[in-house]
Amino acid sequence: TTLSEALLHITGAVRRAGRVDHGDAFLDTDDMEKERGITIFSKQARFTSERGEIRRTYTLQDTPGHVDFSTEMERVLGILDCAVLVISAADGVNGQVRVLWRLLEHYNVPVFLFVNKMDQNGADRAALLTSVKKELSTRCVDIMPAAGVSLAESLEDPDVQEEIAVCDDELMNAYFDGEMVTVPQICELTAGRKLFPVLFGAALREQGVSELLECLDTL
């Protein structure tokens, strides 16, 4: 929900981002949610992103993250065009993440991964990525742009290109013959669940949220 609030805020859908633990999150409207400081029910919101000639309107389904309310989360999976799976840097790939991963596979939902709370002490990006690849899929590829670098430039990085290319045999052969992997091809890989883009940030500070939105707009 913190990430959802940040997306709504940076796109101008709400004037300020609320906090779940403060009981003022825009999406946590139930009295019980406000009282307990936890998301219990799935909520829907809409926001629009404009990037150059691209204008996309998103219907966001914000779901509970707590294991006790998994049923409420699972009932929306069948309607999703894609999912953003949020992983806490503090917890890593825990049992709940693995359950969600299997459910998303069952419903054949394309997945973007957002590793959250990277502002906390001890958050190790390389170690977290290694764990994600080991526990979930080797096709999870870090496409997070470095500071001052656009997503397009990040996708053209030779290391990123190679990691993406090996997700598909035909693309891999073409890549090693000297052809670049194009953005439309990356879109196809993502839609076909052959590639799972990974980004890192801290939603509470709105770090990495613009990069995630650019990734959604592009892919």
Side-chain angles (χ1 to χ4, degrees), residues 100-112:
L100 291 170
W101 185 259
R102 289 194 293 270
L103 285 170
L104 290 165
E105 182 180 22
H106 172 75
Y107 287 99
N108 197 34
V109 180
V111 182
F112 297 83

Side-chain angles (χ1 to χ4, degrees), residues 84-100:
V84 177
L85 178 60
V86 182
I87 299 174
S88 168
D91 301 329
V93 182
N94 57 21
Q96 175 69 351
V97 171
R98 285 189 284 269
V99 168
L100 291 170

Side-chain angles (χ1 to χ4, degrees), residues 40-131:
I40 300 173
F41 304 104
S42 296
K43 301 295 193 319
Q44 179 176 301
R46 300 189 79 189
F47 64 88
T48 299
S49 175
E50 297 190 44
R51 194 177 307 278
E53 296 181 358
I54 298 175
R55 187 178 191 275
R56 297 193 191 282
T57 298
Y58 293 88
T59 301
L60 169 71
Q61 295 286 343
D62 175 60
T63 65
H66 197 280
V67 64
D68 289 351
F69 310 113
S70 292
T71 303
E72 179 71 9
M73 174 276 305
E74 186 177 352
R75 73 186 181 89
V76 308
L77 295 185
I79 66 169
L80 301 181
D81 295 310
C82 69
V84 177
L85 178 60
V86 182
I87 299 174
S88 168
D91 301 329
V93 182
N94 57 21
Q96 175 69 351
V97 171
R98 285 189 284 269
V99 168
L100 291 170
W101 185 259
R102 289 194 293 270
L103 285 170
L104 290 165
E105 182 180 22
H106 172 75
Y107 287 99
N108 197 34
V109 180
V111 182
F112 297 83
L113 294 95
F114 186 80
V115 183
N116 194 25
K117 301 183 181 179
M118 289 299 295
D119 57 333
Q120 295 187 354
N121 291 334
D124 187 326
R125 177 168 162 175
L128 285 162
L129 182 63
T130 298
S131 175

Side-chain angles (χ1 to χ4, degrees), residues 164 171 174 179-191 195:
I164 292 174
L171 280 184
E179 293 183 26
M180 293 278 287
V181 182
T182 66
V183 169
Q185 289 171 327
I186 297 172
C187 292
E188 287 184 18
L189 289 176
T190 305
L195 168 68

